[in-house]
Amino acid sequence: AEQSLPPSAWTPFATKKGLAFSLATGWSHVAFVDNFKILKRNVELLPNTFRIIREVVGDDLLGPRHVAIARQNAHTGIPAHSDNFNYMLTLHLPIRCSCTGVGITINGTYYKYEEGTPLVMDTTFPHATINECESDAIILLVDFFHSDLTLDEREALRLFWKFNSGI
């Protein structure tokens, strides 16, 4: 799917801190959702992909950060960090990983990415990615609300993010 995407579709994170992070780690993405805002220009690039995500996850569980196709450049990685959002879980679904040297370490345990095998994680735990391959790794990334949250708690978090992000 990403082969049909124009190069300009792949973008770093939008904030200054995010831009520096993306440049330092080789991470970029085609975001469908950012802070609850649906990015129509990107949805139009892959409408069936986004439709399936909405059907599987459901609009009420899609969380504040990202729904995106992410790219980890060859021979790069993201150092260990915590996202500090215990009300969210993150799905990584590897779409393309051309060698065995692509994966993620979560709280000290390494998980090799395998194409088509989903991994759901709590990113409050320290996690780091690695791509030791000769080609980029492509991963579907979906942030969604933790299933233990009530509908009222999810709505309160939506309002909080809307107030704090200016959307």
Side-chain angles (χ1 to χ4, degrees), residues 46-66:
L46 297 165
N48 291 330
T49 301
F50 187 64
R51 179 186 51 78
I52 292 167
I53 292 167
R54 289 178 90 167
E55 288 174 6
V56 171
V57 177
D59 287 340
D60 62 324
L61 287 180
L62 287 177
R65 289 188 311 173
H66 307 289

Side-chain angles (χ1 to χ4, degrees), residues 98-121:
S98 62
C99 76
T100 60
V102 182
I104 188 166
T105 300
I106 305 167
N107 206 29
T109 302
Y110 178 76
Y111 300 89
K112 179 188 167 304
Y113 283 145
E114 295 183 29
E115 290 180 12
T117 302
L119 176 66
V120 175
M121 68 194 93

Side-chain angles (χ1 to χ4, degrees), residues 40-153:
K40 291 181 182 177
R41 70 181 184 279
N42 291 340
V43 169
E44 289 169 358
L45 293 172
L46 297 165
N48 291 330
T49 301
F50 187 64
R51 179 186 51 78
I52 292 167
I53 292 167
R54 289 178 90 167
E55 288 174 6
V56 171
V57 177
D59 287 340
D60 62 324
L61 287 180
L62 287 177
R65 289 188 311 173
H66 307 289
V67 175
I69 295 177
R71 178 175 64 190
Q72 179 75 62
N73 289 346
H75 303 291
T76 65
I78 298 174
H81 65 285
S82 169
D83 293 343
N84 298 315
F85 297 123
N86 67 352
Y87 50 84
M88 240 180 358
L89 297 173
T90 298
L91 164 81
H92 280 197
L93 178 64
I95 297 170
R96 187 183 74 200
C97 320
S98 62
C99 76
T100 60
V102 182
I104 188 166
T105 300
I106 305 167
N107 206 29
T109 302
Y110 178 76
Y111 300 89
K112 179 188 167 304
Y113 283 145
E114 295 183 29
E115 290 180 12
T117 302
L119 176 66
V120 175
M121 68 194 93
D122 178 344
T123 60
T124 56
F125 292 101
H127 56 286
T129 65
I130 188 71
N131 180 4
E132 298 173 331
C133 297
E134 296 299 321
S135 62
D136 299 345
I138 307 297
I139 296 133
L140 175 65
L141 183 146
V142 179
D143 291 326
F144 57 96
F145 282 124
H146 196 290
S147 58
D148 289 342
L149 291 176
T150 66
L151 187 58
D152 288 341
E153 289 169 325

